[in-house]
Amino acid sequence: MVPTGPYGSWPSPIDAALAASLDGRPEYLGTVGEEIWWTAPRPAEGGRRTLVRRRTGPGGAVDEESLLPAPWNVRSRVVEYGGTPWAALPRPAGGPLVVFVHYADQRLYAYEPDVPGAAPRPLTPLSAVGGGLRWADPVLRPELGEVWCVLEEFTGPEPTDVRRVIAAVPLDGSAAGARRAVRELTDDRHRFTTGPRLSPDGARACWLVWDHPRMPWDGTELKVAEVGPEGELRQVRTVLGGPEESVAQADWAADGALLAVSDRGGWWNPYRVELTAPGGPGTPGGVGGKAVNLCPREEEFGGALWKTGLRWFAPLPGGTSQPGGSAGGLIAVLHGQGSSVLGVLDPETGDLVDAAGPWTSWCPTLATHGSRVYGVAASPRSGYEVVELDTRTGRARVVGARATDPVDPAYYPEPMSRTFSGPDDREIHAHVYPPHNPVRAAPADELPPYVVWAHGGPTDHVEPVLDLHIAYFTSRGIGVAEVNYGGSTGYGRAYRERLREQWGVVDVEDCAAVARALAAEGTADPARLAIRGGSAGGWTAAASLAATDVYACGTIKYPVLDLVGIADETHDLESQYLTGLAGPPQTLAVRCRERSPLARAEGIAVPFLLLQGLADAVCPPAQAERFLARMAGRGVPHAYLAFDGEGHGFRRAETMVRALQAELSLYLQVFGIERADLPVLPLATGPGPGG
């Protein structure tokens, strides 16, 4: 007989330190010859990311090696969220040459890890202007002695004093002390650009651009240029996209065909772009290309381009022995509604064969080598790991960053993907994680507390995977409901655009509708509901506390709290995001009074926890400080925890531990649950900031 105990009081082996130690996932996967490389988080080492190299040694032994010791941190700050931070080239002698971005100074470095005694050497200069020089999406051009990449250059002290171009950096280090040695390949007429992708013969390059006030999921343009004999880009023209068409990725097939993912049909689908000659018939104004949908489906084959260099598809260089498959033309794709799967698409027939396996989430970081596809995937029973699909046999297996179970998997929650009905009978998608513990049960007459999680973005979504931050709560008896509110990606453009000029309305209503439905059906205790969110989700959490009476408390992490202020305080990428989310600048003051938690602070009457990184350039601490000043003296119990050195999203293990424990303590105090194994979070009611 399983002992009973009140929800929230259950013992659990999943403590905050364990959840923090396993936070993060492999990113920016690539193949270097026969080897697989990726960046990996190191929460216990100051939150840095290292570069991992997986190779097979003598006798078939597999070795995963961290190529760079602390404090090297392989991470770009282009558009603040980053882009691909490394590229490597296999060489027959001397081992691979790798070029990477170091987070601390944002310089580009070259490194030869197999050369005894070698150390990273800088390729680009330091800059004291604004945020300096930043780099992303490197492509090695050894025949030119260069690496091509995105250059983000700050020209003044304001976060919007910035220009971006595609540039060529000498591999000999001559630009390390001389900015003039960097060769610019494009002009800066477009505000944002991704890095170039080169055709197999090196004769053409493609990349994406967009401009304010659009975000990349609103409208982008696919550019194509001819590559001249001296490595110059000539005859640049737009071949796809526009103000109301989002091209999320472009690349070249093995036969030189141009491939792209576009939402011109309402869903991000894969297209082949049939190019016409520059300036020829059908190319008025330099625009040319006919797009053919390779797999028309009401599914997403792409997503929000929050970082440059994301890859939802990867052409296979050598084809497969799949019966009836087109030789050398197959494409590895990620696709689905809400959740993603890995498939192999035959562009000639439209046939799509999915990989078998338990994975319910695939990150947009695909790589290929020969007939093999590599990706990063997770499931409700396993964290993110590197997976290999052999397209000849159809076999998929874990080959790197294997997610071993740190505790008995019986403590993991089982998510239920559900659709709820919201205002005007609109559909709301959510993943519900009920409380679960193999050694405890709740009294039959008790309903569990639930926390509604609002994701960030807001143009993003969550998928049903194992997350020990969720299991930290569910294994103790507190349920979690992750809501993909209107405006989320994963469900087509129409669902995404429900939030247009409705931020602070639709997201708040949808989260409340899910919470109320869980209570009405007897799944959750209506008196013990909470909401939490970070970044844009922090806005939704705070706005929900101000606009509804659904929740007993809330956790607000590195949030947007003031619409008018954030437009001037945030970084360049999102400096005009509010045009789509809240309306044109002339209406912003009105929308701010109607929706901003700062303006509606008097509506907040329940306890809250506010968490903030003091080095946050996306949602600066000034937002939190103004909000606290408005709440001062109102008698609302609250705590404010600020973390020096943390930016937008916490990366250090000690920060995550304190934040998780504080959040749980808030819920225990508000929900009336007793535990003796947790530091008590002091809640202030006076004029001070609390905590």
Side-chain angles (χ1 to χ4, degrees):
M1 190 75 175
V2 176
T4 61
Y7 285 112
S9 70
W10 300 345
S12 172
I14 304 173
D15 61 17
L18 177 62
S21 70
L22 297 177
D23 188 71
R25 65 187 68 172
E27 289 184 331
Y28 300 112
L29 195 68
T31 55
V32 184
E34 297 282 341
E35 301 174 1
I36 315 164
W37 294 25
W38 63 88
T39 69
R42 293 292 185 264
E45 298 176 16
R48 77 181 186 103
R49 293 192 72 88
T50 189
L51 187 59
V52 173
R53 173 188 194 181
R54 179 196 182 273
R55 52 182 170 176
T56 303
V62 175
D63 175 54
E64 287 185 18
E65 172 192 6
S66 177
L67 285 179
L68 294 160
W72 292 107
N73 189 350
V74 185
R75 183 178 158 214
S76 169
R77 286 188 64 185
V78 162
V79 297
E80 208 59 56
Y81 293 115
T84 304
W86 71 275
L89 181 73
R91 299 181 299 180
L97 169 67
V98 58
V99 171
F100 70 93
V101 180
H102 178 44
Y103 181 78
D105 58 17
Q106 286 299 289
R107 298 176 86 180
L108 206 57
Y109 287 80
Y111 180 43
E112 298 171 277
D114 289 354
V115 175
R121 54 183 177 84
L123 298 180
T124 55
L126 287 168
S127 173
V129 177
L133 305 173
R134 299 176 180 178
W135 313 85
D137 298 1
V139 176
L140 283 160
R141 303 298 311 273
E143 73 281 8
L144 298 173
E146 295 175 331
V147 54
W148 290 10
C149 49
V150 174
L151 162 59
E152 181 178 80
E153 183 173 24
F154 285 80
T155 57
E158 299 301 321
T160 53
D161 295 335
V162 62
R163 60 191 295 270
R164 298 176 185 88
V165 297
I166 296 175
V169 177
L171 287 171
D172 62 7
S174 58
R179 164 68 177 85
R180 62 182 178 275
V182 175
R183 187 166 63 94
E184 296 190 7
L185 302 175
T186 62
D187 57 35
D188 59 2
R189 72 180 64 183
H190 294 289
R191 190 68 170 196
F192 302 97
T193 183
T194 65
R197 303 294 298 182
L198 292 171
S199 60
D201 61 3
R204 284 175 167 171
C206 68
W207 65 96
L208 303 177
V209 299
W210 69 97
D211 292 285
H212 285 315
R214 296 191 302 274
M215 298 298 285
W217 43 86
D218 296 325
T220 57
E221 296 177 20
L222 171 55
K223 297 287 189 179
V224 169
E226 310 300 310
V227 180
E230 302 300 321
E232 72 276 17
L233 297 181
R234 305 183 300 187
Q235 299 175 325
V236 178
R237 68 262 193 205
T238 298
V239 298
L240 196 66
E244 297 182 357
E245 178 182 357
S246 170
V247 182
Q249 183 196 341
D251 208 341
W252 304 92
D255 61 0
L258 179 59
L259 306 173
V261 167
S262 166
D263 73 346
R264 56 171 41 197
W267 297 79
W268 275 305
N269 277 189
Y271 288 81
R272 181 175 60 247
V273 183
E274 298 176 352
L275 300 175
T276 56
T283 61
V287 178
K290 176 186 175 183
V292 178
N293 194 332
L294 301 177
C295 191
R297 291 191 181 193
E298 290 190 349
E299 293 185 3
E300 302 283 45
F301 289 73
L305 194 64
W306 280 105
K307 304 176 182 181
T308 64
L310 299 182
R311 302 191 75 194
W312 289 271
F313 74 84
L316 282 153
T320 74
S321 59
Q322 180 178 318
S326 55
L330 301 182
I331 310 167
V333 296
L334 303 180
H335 68 102
Q337 270 199 47
S339 298
S340 53
V341 296
L342 171 64
V344 177
L345 172 66
D346 186 329
E348 299 302 321
T349 65
D351 292 340
L352 180 57
V353 179
D354 291 336
W359 304 286
T360 54
S361 174
W362 290 80
C363 300
T365 178
L366 291 179
T368 61
H369 181 73
S371 62
R372 288 176 165 79
V373 180
Y374 298 94
V376 174
S379 78
R381 309 297 290 175
S382 62
Y384 285 96
E385 49 201 1
V386 178
V387 177
E388 174 194 81
L389 169 65
D390 186 337
T391 58
R392 295 171 303 179
T393 65
R395 182 191 177 202
R397 63 187 182 115
V398 178
V399 295
R402 182 178 296 275
T404 57
D405 291 314
V407 298
D408 185 346
Y411 285 91
Y412 297 162
E414 291 287 349
M416 299 180 293
S417 296
R418 299 182 54 185
T419 301
F420 294 87
S421 180
D424 302 321
D425 293 323
R426 64 176 182 247
E427 287 188 345
I428 307 167
H429 302 284
H431 307 300
V432 179
Y433 297 77
H436 177 72
N437 188 303
V439 299
R440 284 294 187 278
D445 59 350
E446 184 183 1
L447 291 175
Y450 260 80
V451 184
V452 171
W453 284 26
H455 64 71
T459 313
D460 205 346
H461 74 287
V462 288
E463 297 180 336
V465 298
L466 176 63
D467 182 342
L468 290 188
H469 290 249
I470 292 176
Y472 177 75
F473 293 102
T474 57
S475 63
R476 286 166 170 77
I478 298 174
V480 170
E482 288 193 297
V483 181
N484 283 324
Y485 47 80
S488 300
T489 56
Y491 305 95
R493 184 159 186 139
Y495 193 88
R496 195 165 78 238
E497 293 196 339
R498 285 185 189 176
L499 207 59
R500 183 163 293 278
E501 298 192 18
Q502 294 297 308
W503 195 34
V505 178
V506 167
D507 49 326
V508 170
E509 290 176 347
D510 286 2
C511 286
V514 171
R516 289 190 178 107
L518 292 174
E521 69 187 24
T523 297
D525 184 345
R528 296 193 294 175
L529 296 170
I531 187 167
R532 69 102 83 163
S535 189
W539 156 276
T540 301
S544 296
L545 297 184
T548 77
D549 60 359
V550 174
Y551 309 103
C553 61
T555 299
I556 306 164
K557 303 167 61 179
Y558 35 89
V560 177
L561 295 166
D562 173 17
L563 284 180
V564 172
I566 198 68
D568 296 325
E569 294 167 347
T570 193
H571 62 136
D572 186 52
L573 175 66
E574 296 181 83
S575 62
Q576 296 186 37
Y577 194 5
L578 292 180
T579 300
L581 293 175
Q586 59 267 30
T587 68
L588 199 55
V590 174
R591 297 286 166 80
C592 186
R593 290 195 298 271
E594 294 172 344
R595 303 177 192 174
S596 284
L598 178 68
R600 304 189 64 186
E602 72 281 353
I604 298 179
V606 298
F608 64 87
L609 167 64
L610 180 56
L611 302 167
Q612 179 68 48
L614 294 179
D616 194 335
V618 177
C619 296
Q623 292 265 312
E625 292 161 3
R626 289 198 299 273
F627 177 72
L628 290 170
R630 289 292 301 270
M631 293 299 301
R634 297 196 55 251
V636 177
H638 65 278
Y640 175 51
L641 301 183
F643 301 97
D644 190 34
E646 288 282 12
H648 196 65
F650 301 149
R651 295 177 178 271
R652 298 174 178 173
E654 59 271 22
T655 301
M656 289 184 276
V657 168
R658 191 176 179 205
L660 269 176
Q661 291 178 339
E663 184 178 355
L664 178 58
S665 179
L666 171 71
Y667 303 150
L668 298 182
Q669 293 178 63
V670 173
F671 296 158
I673 301 167
E674 295 184 2
R675 296 188 72 102
D677 59 350
L678 190 75
V680 176
L681 174 71
L683 296 175
T685 57

